[in-house]
Amino acid sequence: MTTTADIHEPTFLAGDEFSIPTFRLLKQDGTLHEGATAPELEHDKALAIYRAMVATRVLDERMLAAQRQGRLSFYMQCTGEEAAVVGATAALDDADMIMAQYREQGALVYRGFTFDEFMNQLFGNELDYGKGRQMPIHYGSRKLHYMTISSPLGTQIPQATGYAYGQKLAGDGQCTTVFFGEGAASEGDFHAALNMAAVHEVPVIFFCRNNGYAISTPSIEQFAADGVAPRAFGYRMHVIRVDGNDILAVYSATREARRIAVEHNKPVLIEAMSYRLAAHSSSDDPSGYRSKKEEEAWREKDPILRMQRWLIDLGWWSEEEEKALQESLRREVLETMKRAEKRPPPPLDSLVSDVYADVTPELQRQLDALKTHIRQYPEAYPKGARSLDPDVKARDDASDAEAQGGE
């Protein structure tokens, strides 16, 4: 059903009449824009947000270095987008579901995911919740209401609509927030999800991190319209565009979006304008498609530095505390990484033990063949060989301990 006025000459509209402003509160020097009012943010919560942003940056720096050293196969950074991710998460209820793309580790940091939990997944050891079955950065946490990440681009967007529909039926006052980049908004899943959410009126927040690039494709080559935000009008959906490097604006916008979603069962689209300061992934070289000058211009808009200046201006933070935090986090990340590297991989039997209630004969046959192959070529699968032969593992552990004692 549509509601329109009649016209009697062919008149076409291109959407130019829609001009979506950008919501901003905090300037880069840490002061508020004229006429802006900061959200009510208590001292302890403000510091928790800031520490989560800094911890995410430190984790990313250390783990990219580990990948370059050959200790990790792959990594993706959140660098430059910490305010968008952490600010949005802080505005949610801890029981709200988060469905991430693959650059939202800051959400987990804020909710209490430990460095040990990060490292166990990154190294796929025996304590990894995913049992080593996924590539690095595919985190998930049932206790923190963070859905395990999937590799296919954009699949989490319609899944979020479905999950939010279930939350609506449950009536517990929770919502779902789904993160994705502007590149993923070009997937068909995006449009299907928004249409379904609007039609069924479900409490979901679609949070688009418009960071300027879909891998190497700049935004200007992705769509002709004014960003992603105007698409909400096609689904009659609430929408706001926000400065994604402004932690106060992101927090305020998401808090209001959550109120709309939960109190009125209405979906909301947030487009956070930011910039991916790092490469798309550890496999990418951004120098091939953007200039250093462009990157440096955005480094001047660093979201962490902006919040740090605001906190210092309030008297809630100091340079001494900043130095102590940086040193503490770097030390903790390195120590945790060393522990995770030494842990053995998950038992080979876990590959098949929880696929079905009982291991099928075919799966057992495949597992037995795998074990035979590893025993035949132990030098190619050193960790697997050690896990299959307890005597070899015990002997190697004893040799490692002796070597460490002699240093």
Side-chain angles (χ1 to χ4, degrees), residues 213 275-277 285-299:
Y213 288 90
Y275 189 81
R276 194 194 73 217
L277 284 174
D285 179 9
S287 66
Y289 55 83
R290 69 187 191 191
S291 67
K292 290 292 183 182
K293 183 178 180 180
E294 177 183 306
E295 292 180 13
E296 288 304 317
W298 276 94
R299 289 189 188 281

Side-chain angles (χ1 to χ4, degrees), residues 161-402:
T161 295
Y163 196 93
Y165 186 71
Q167 291 173 314
K168 174 183 176 179
L169 296 179
D172 294 330
Q174 306 302 146
C175 72
T176 293
T177 295
V178 55
F179 290 96
F180 52 93
E182 88 287 344
S186 296
E187 294 284 329
D189 281 348
F190 169 84
H191 297 280
L194 266 66
N195 187 58
M196 184 166 61
V199 170
H200 292 288
E201 299 184 325
V202 301
V204 57
I205 300 172
F206 298 100
F207 196 101
C208 176
R209 296 178 291 92
N210 189 336
N211 63 18
Y213 288 90
I215 307 182
S216 60
T217 305
S219 296
I220 194 172
E221 296 180 16
Q222 295 180 52
F223 33 73
D226 177 27
V228 175
R231 301 181 192 181
F233 297 137
Y235 303 104
R236 202 173 186 183
M237 183 180 297
H238 288 81
V239 62
I240 187 171
R241 174 177 286 152
V242 61
D243 182 346
N245 287 10
D246 180 345
I247 188 71
L248 300 185
V250 171
Y251 177 82
S252 295
T254 309
R255 186 177 61 178
E256 179 61 15
R258 185 186 187 278
R259 187 193 67 78
I260 294 170
V262 171
E263 293 183 9
H264 301 287
N265 280 317
K266 297 286 188 180
V268 182
L269 173 62
I270 298 176
E271 182 181 22
M273 311 306 291
S274 186
Y275 189 81
R276 194 194 73 217
L277 284 174
H280 171 71
S281 73
S282 56
S283 303
D284 174 44
D285 179 9
S287 66
Y289 55 83
R290 69 187 191 191
S291 67
K292 290 292 183 182
K293 183 178 180 180
E294 177 183 306
E295 292 180 13
E296 288 304 317
W298 276 94
R299 289 189 188 281
E300 295 297 321
K301 303 176 184 179
D302 189 329
I304 293 180
L305 185 58
R306 191 181 305 193
M307 186 178 189
Q308 180 192 122
R309 289 167 174 166
W310 178 69
L311 291 172
I312 291 175
D313 189 56
L314 288 175
W316 290 359
W317 198 243
S318 66
E319 293 182 4
E320 291 75 20
E321 289 172 304
E322 179 70 23
K323 181 180 179 181
L325 177 63
Q326 293 277 352
E327 292 177 352
S328 173
L329 289 172
R330 288 193 173 93
R331 182 170 58 253
E332 185 179 355
V333 167
L334 290 173
E335 291 174 352
T336 305
M337 181 171 63
K338 291 176 182 179
R339 288 197 300 269
E341 282 183 304
K342 293 178 181 179
R343 293 189 180 112
L348 279 175
D349 287 13
S350 69
L351 282 170
V352 301
S353 60
D354 58 0
V355 178
Y356 298 101
D358 298 306
V359 178
T360 65
E362 177 59 20
L363 282 178
Q364 187 61 54
R365 184 193 67 75
Q366 293 178 31
L367 180 64
D368 292 341
L370 174 63
K371 290 180 178 180
T372 299
H373 178 78
I374 291 175
R375 288 191 172 104
Q376 185 175 357
Y377 303 100
E379 68 283 353
Y381 309 95
K383 291 186 177 180
R386 292 179 71 192
S387 68
L388 286 176
D389 190 338
D391 292 335
V392 171
K393 181 179 184 302
R395 186 170 62 251
D396 288 349
D397 288 346
S399 297
D400 291 345
E402 183 177 353

Side-chain angles (χ1 to χ4, degrees), residues 70-139:
R71 300 161 84 172
L72 278 184
S73 61
F74 181 79
Y75 195 76
M76 299 186 78
Q77 295 174 283
C78 180
T79 306
E81 301 176 67
E82 294 91 350
V85 176
V86 179
T89 303
L92 302 174
D93 185 89
D94 287 344
D96 290 338
M97 175 57 69
I98 289 177
M99 294 192 180
Q101 186 161 313
Y102 39 53
R103 213 181 293 281
E104 287 80 26
Q105 48 265 46
L108 280 172
V109 173
Y110 180 79
R111 286 193 169 179
F113 207 64
T114 67
F115 284 148
D116 273 301
E117 290 174 303
F118 277 112
M119 297 300 172
N120 292 335
Q121 196 287 320
L122 291 169
F123 288 97
N125 62 37
E126 63 180 353
L127 298 182
D128 171 22
Y129 298 141
K131 301 182 180 180
R133 297 169 179 172
Q134 278 277 23
M135 62 192 292
I137 64 97
H138 286 58
Y139 315 109

